[in-house]
Amino acid sequence: PSADATPKLAEEDLRSPICCIMGHVDTGKTKLLDCIRGTNVQEGEAGGITQQIGATYFPAENIRDRTKELKADAKLKVPGLLVIDTPGHESFTNLRSRGSGLCDIAILVVDIMHGLEPQTIESLNLLKMRNTEFIVALNKVDRLYGWKTCRNAPIVKAMKQQSKDVQNEFNMRLIQIITQFKEQGLNTELYYKNKEMGETFSIVPTSAISGEGIPDMLLLLVQWTQKTMVEKLTFSNEIQCTVLEVKVIEGHGTTIDVVLVNGVLHEGDQIVVCGLQGPIVTTIRALLTPHPMKELRVKGTYLHHKEIKAAQGIKITAQGLEHAIAGTGLYVVGPDDDLEDVKEVTMEDMKSVMNRIDKS
Ligand code: GDP
């Protein structure tokens, strides 16, 4: 066969990394995402969604555009970035755990005025337990007394515009927070001074209100993942997919929101998901996503796709999803697969979900 007959994989065919945003309530997790998306979810663009896991896709073009001032001529090799947002309320530990379990890298948000708080520690423990890489967004720098706004500026540039007093207050708070992390057994350092990435976790100062440091945060996430996680991010044909939510949507019936971690889903694929009364075997009727930079949880118009490559947050419509169980895996029945085997594998997930429910 000629060389052309075999589909050639791109030199590095990478999927989008999945990033989750964690931290204590009110540190600005939603606002940070709003700042990148140009939306206003935080001020109730979407009532009630704070009790669900959300997902937003940022295409590489947008990331390139937002980071151009940093003049990092580093290539973006990933098609985009999928950000998962988990509910902050104390009673949603299981949802936070589910969200963080999907991610390749996390943003741990710390309020510069408050330092480490109880849920910061909870998040840290989840991250440590799973050995998940993370960066720290030291948010609300605009609240330092006398802060001069430099809208959407890279943080080094913004910091240079500040008075000595502001810089001193920043440094003092930074040192305190680095010490608090040390008490948790972790080394942290400002990202542009961090020479041991991987051993020392990077801190990016940000403001979700005026956007300082947001370019730095985006670039760091993308560069760090594509540099150090090539193997994990290599595109695979094996489906890796988790059900986030089961929801009735007007005009669509019962739908499931899923995160496709790896692989491709097609309209018409035969799928198996866990149901309360046993495995549900059905066929994908429609693959829907929100527009890029829009939140999957928020009611809006959807884009229809014939097929979708990972990573993405997707709404799937299909028959018989009424009793599907969130937190479990979705499996595709391939041409060579035995349906009974796939059903069995699917139901294995029930056990781990039940375990988690017992514990929480
Ligand atoms: P979450 O609970 O972590 O999602 O926090 P939110 O995004 O809901 O933000 C909590 C509050 O802090 C809101 O009133 C935001 O407007 C405010 N906030 C978030 N980020 C910033 C920031 O960078 N600067 C300032 N001044 N306020 C912020």
Side-chain angles (χ1 to χ4, degrees):
S2 74
D4 298 348
T6 39
K8 207 172 150 231
L9 275 181
E11 194 186 341
E12 280 173 282
D13 194 10
L14 301 183
R15 65 170 173 85
S16 303
I18 304 176
C19 165
C20 75
I21 185 152
M22 307 176 77
H24 196 80
V25 68
D26 276 349
T27 49
K29 297 181 291 297
T30 314
K31 201 79 192 161
L32 274 171
L33 292 181
D34 273 337
C35 180
I36 316 176
R37 285 190 292 242
T39 54
N40 205 343
V41 171
Q42 193 270 327
E43 279 171 27
E45 194 176 84
I49 64 151
T50 47
Q51 301 188 3
Q52 301 168 17
I53 300 181
T56 309
Y57 184 69
F58 299 99
E61 308 94 84
N62 293 93
I63 297 171
R64 203 170 289 125
D65 190 49
R66 288 298 285 267
T67 56
K68 62 176 184 274
E69 237 199 293
L70 283 167
K71 295 207 170 54
D73 43 45
K75 273 183 274 169
L76 293 188
K77 296 181 198 157
V78 293
L81 182 70
L82 184 69
V83 181
I84 308 270
D85 186 15
T86 56
H89 191 275
E90 239 178 311
S91 58
F92 293 111
T93 310
N94 61 330
L95 291 191
R96 280 195 294 277
S97 166
R98 186 183 306 162
S100 69
L102 293 168
C103 67
D104 303 302
I105 190 165
I107 306 172
L108 180 64
V109 188
V110 174
D111 182 334
I112 190 166
M113 306 311 268
H114 294 168
L116 271 57
E117 297 176 89
Q119 262 173 266
T120 325
I121 315 259
E122 182 205 275
S123 306
L124 264 180
N125 289 336
L126 272 176
L127 293 167
K128 279 190 207 161
M129 195 174 77
R130 295 213 167 88
N131 251 326
T132 308
E133 286 292 338
F134 66 91
I135 64 172
V136 178
L138 193 54
N139 193 37
K140 306 198 186 183
V141 288
D142 63 284
R143 290 193 56 202
L144 295 170
Y145 186 74
W147 179 265
K148 219 185 281 161
T149 301
C150 308
R151 209 158 281 283
N152 299 321
I155 198 63
V156 174
K157 182 178 169 191
M159 212 53 94
K160 279 193 187 132
Q161 311 294 313
Q162 307 304 321
S163 66
K164 269 273 154 299
D165 283 349
V166 172
Q167 292 185 7
N168 287 340
E169 189 190 345
F170 171 80
N171 284 327
M172 186 196 79
R173 291 187 183 277
L174 176 71
I175 289 168
Q176 281 173 356
I177 289 168
I178 289 178
T179 307
Q180 291 177 335
F181 272 112
K182 209 158 250 152
E183 285 162 5
Q184 298 298 318
L186 293 167
N187 292 326
T188 51
E189 179 58 283
L190 270 181
Y191 90 92
Y192 47 89
K193 294 188 176 164
N194 188 357
K195 296 198 170 61
E196 309 171 302
M197 293 232 329
E199 275 151 61
T200 302
F201 292 90
S202 286
I203 299 177
V204 189
T206 57
S207 166
I209 300 283
S210 41
E212 292 91 341
I214 301 295
D216 312 61
M217 188 176 88
L218 285 172
L219 194 65
L220 195 60
L221 285 172
V222 171
Q223 286 188 334
W224 184 239
T225 49
Q226 71 185 18
K227 187 172 158 207
T228 65
M229 301 177 192
V230 174
E231 202 168 330
K232 201 172 174 193
L233 296 182
T234 296
F235 190 79
S236 139
N237 283 321
E238 201 154 308
I239 301 286
Q240 211 182 319
C241 186
T242 298
V243 180
L244 291 184
E245 303 279 345
V246 183
K247 259 189 275 185
V248 177
I249 301 283
E250 223 181 286
H252 293 288
T254 302
T255 67
I256 48 176
D257 288 357
V258 303
V259 168
L260 178 63
V261 177
N262 212 339
V264 194
L265 285 178
H266 310 83
E267 211 182 82
D269 276 349
Q270 188 180 37
I271 55 171
V272 185
V273 294
C274 276
L276 280 174
Q277 286 118 0
I280 301 169
V281 182
T282 183
T283 304
I284 296 181
R285 187 159 53 197
L287 284 170
L288 309 172
T289 65
H291 291 258
M293 319 265 282
K294 295 284 181 197
E295 171 55 77
L296 181 62
R297 285 176 296 190
V298 177
K299 219 165 124 194
T301 52
Y302 297 103
L303 300 172
H304 283 251
H305 304 261
K306 286 277 165 225
E307 60 169 47
I308 299 181
K309 270 183 100 171
Q312 260 293 4
I314 308 167
K315 181 177 287 299
I316 293 180
T317 74
Q319 276 184 337
L321 293 174
E322 290 73 21
H323 301 292
I325 301 170
T328 57
L330 175 151
Y331 294 84
V332 171
V333 187
D336 303 326
D337 293 333
D338 178 72
L339 178 60
E340 292 309 312
D341 289 347
V342 180
K343 279 161 120 177
E344 205 168 300
V345 170
T346 306
M347 291 314 283
E348 283 288 307
D349 280 4
M350 273 291 271
K351 294 180 196 153
S352 60
V353 170
M354 287 310 171
N355 254 331
R356 258 178 273 151
I357 291 171
D358 287 345
K359 278 180 198 156
S360 62

